[in-house]
Amino acid sequence: YRALLKESPDEITIRLKLADVLSWQKKYDESLAIFGEAVKQNPDDIHLRRKYAFVLIWAGQHEKGAEELKKTLDIAPKTDSGTTGASQDGKSPRKEEGK
């Protein structure tokens, strides 16, 4: 991925793949630097922020990771079903559709 970044230094997809690989290699500082910059550039990207949070947790930064996960709940669209897929009455909306 580093070679690809030399050719396309602004390509966010390549940067994020590199950050993933670095986290798998337990090179957390490098991974967090990339993810941290990406989160600054895309603060409402829930998937990205969750990846960042998990790397923080893997790096032993549990409180910071938990804070980032909480932020994703604030970003998530507020709907009747929230983020769990259950309706307000606790029944699965998928079951109701199948009637």
Side-chain angles (χ1 to χ4, degrees):
Y1 291 108
R2 291 183 196 274
L4 289 172
L5 277 176
K6 286 181 182 178
E7 296 172 20
S8 304
D10 296 327
E11 180 58 49
I12 188 72
T13 305
I14 298 170
R15 286 192 172 285
L16 295 178
K17 289 292 185 185
L18 175 60
D20 281 337
V21 170
L22 290 168
S23 71
W24 301 334
Q25 294 173 339
K26 298 184 181 184
K27 296 180 181 178
Y28 300 126
D29 290 339
E30 290 179 77
S31 177
L32 288 170
I34 295 169
F35 276 126
E37 186 61 34
V39 167
K40 284 180 189 174
Q41 294 173 0
N42 304 285
D44 293 333
D45 186 326
I46 294 170
H47 182 69
L48 173 61
R49 192 173 288 275
R50 286 182 181 160
K51 282 185 154 190
Y52 178 55
F54 285 118
V55 177
L56 283 165
I57 291 167
W58 297 336
Q61 299 179 41
H62 301 109
E63 287 183 31
K64 287 183 182 180
E67 288 173 22
E68 290 299 325
L69 287 173
K70 286 178 187 174
K71 288 178 186 178
T72 67
L73 296 175
D74 294 335
I75 296 168
K78 304 298 181 199
T79 64
D80 283 353
S81 63
T83 58
T84 63
S87 65
Q88 288 179 340
D89 64 5
K91 296 178 182 174
S92 172
R94 291 184 187 100
K95 281 188 177 180
E96 295 298 318
E97 291 171 4
K99 281 187 172 180

